[in-house]
Amino acid sequence: MARKKLIAGNWKMNGLMEDGIALAKGIAQEVKAFGKSECEFLVCPPFTLLASVKKALRGAKVALGAQDVHFAEKGAHTGDISPLMLKDLGCTYVIIGHSERRADHFESNELICKKAVAAHAAGLKTVICIGETEAQRDAGKTIDVCKEQILGSVPDDSTAADTVIAYEPVWAIGTGKTPTAKDVEEVHAAVRKVLAKKIGKGNANKMKILYGGSVKPSNAKEFLSLPDVDGALIGGASLKVADFMAIAKNASENKK
């Protein structure tokens, strides 16, 4: 099953206006020069930069995404932002259930699922994140944790057209540590099997499953060559145009 790779940048809580616009313009320029590619591009800046980054990306085939969303359309939710607001800003994607949200904001699978349902209803595609902690990994519970998160966080009516899964082992995010290629492929294959039982084999075979966790140009080629790895959710390396595009070139070279 041919799945076009997705190269997604999660800028997290980084970037003031001048730097954010410069980064977006740099990515746009490189993507335009890239020409026809075997991969798709996505950048997810902080809320404060969404409108400006949208303008800076004009003319380039780079999708715009947010890093979180509330499940309500509007209302008394101080500090939150709704799916329709993101859509209105020009977003087509939103990251949901990142481990930093699960840990720092105590987000449950149930809440993440509600957010995904609301995002889909507004016409947004979701990047739903899953992954185990180091303690869970050491206890041999990686597959079980990922299975539980998929079953609880992914809406039952999700399709390959509106949902992307991102496997990010928590212990690898921003640490420089990474699992082996064999470990990554084992988890991704298991994730696809769980998805097949939940949403059907056809949808599961078409759905993109990204790897995230200290992805950089030096290891991207190995990960992106794996049969069940359909792209990358990139943190720190997405803040440098050269690194982000180097990873994309590895994805393009590893055409399925």
Side-chain angles (χ1 to χ4, degrees):
M1 177 66 66
R3 295 178 295 269
K4 199 168 187 179
K5 291 190 175 73
L6 175 64
I7 305 302
N10 176 12
W11 295 5
K12 305 193 180 186
M13 197 173 72
N14 293 295
L16 300 182
M17 192 66 66
E18 184 177 354
D19 292 337
I21 291 173
L23 177 57
K25 285 183 175 179
I27 290 172
Q29 182 177 358
E30 289 296 321
V31 170
K32 289 176 185 177
F34 211 44
K36 290 186 177 181
S37 170
E38 297 304 325
C39 58
E40 300 170 353
F41 295 91
L42 166 66
V43 294
C44 300
F47 291 137
T48 55
L49 292 176
L50 286 172
S52 299
V53 167
K54 175 67 176 177
K55 292 179 182 177
L57 293 173
R58 189 172 294 157
K61 292 183 178 180
V62 183
L64 180 69
Q67 297 174 20
D68 186 39
V69 70
H70 196 277
F71 56 79
E73 289 187 1
K74 59 182 178 180
H77 302 286
T78 301
D80 285 310
I81 188 165
S82 78
L84 292 178
M85 290 173 176
L86 295 180
K87 187 76 173 177
D88 192 45
L89 276 170
C91 292
T92 53
Y93 281 87
V94 60
I95 297 171
I96 297 178
H98 192 280
S99 64
E100 290 157 3
R101 298 292 310 179
R102 291 178 184 263
D104 298 346
H105 298 272
F106 309 103
E107 293 193 359
S108 65
N109 289 329
E110 181 182 13
L111 175 59
I112 292 161
C113 188
K114 286 179 70 174
K115 290 183 176 187
V117 169
H120 292 166
L124 294 170
K125 299 177 183 179
T126 55
V127 179
I128 301 177
C129 300
I130 61 171
E132 82 284 4
T133 64
E134 190 163 20
Q136 290 166 335
R137 175 205 182 205
D138 292 343
K141 295 181 178 179
T142 295
I143 302 298
D144 290 339
V145 170
C146 291
K147 179 179 180 180
E148 179 186 2
Q149 290 175 343
I150 290 168
L151 294 177
S153 302
V154 179
D156 291 338
D157 60 353
S158 297
T159 70
D162 62 27
T163 303
V164 173
I165 303 298
Y167 167 58
E168 292 196 306
V170 179
W171 52 271
I173 299 173
T175 64
K177 301 178 183 178
T178 56
T180 66
K182 181 180 178 181
D183 289 340
V184 171
E185 178 52 26
E186 181 182 357
V187 174
H188 278 235
V191 166
R192 204 174 297 282
K193 287 181 181 178
V194 175
L195 287 170
K197 291 181 180 179
K198 183 175 179 67
I199 61 174
K201 188 174 181 180
N203 263 321
N205 284 341
K206 294 177 183 177
M207 189 170 284
K208 290 181 175 67
I209 305 174
L210 313 183
Y211 171 72
S214 295
V215 181
K216 46 194 174 186
S218 60
N219 61 27
K221 188 170 185 177
E222 182 179 28
F223 290 133
L224 293 170
S225 67
L226 300 172
D228 276 305
V229 175
D230 307 309
L233 182 57
I234 308 159
S238 70
L239 299 175
K240 297 180 179 179
V241 176
D243 288 351
F244 186 66
M245 295 309 299
I247 293 170
K249 288 172 183 176
N250 281 317
S252 186
E253 290 170 1
N254 284 309
K255 179 183 177 182
K256 289 183 179 170

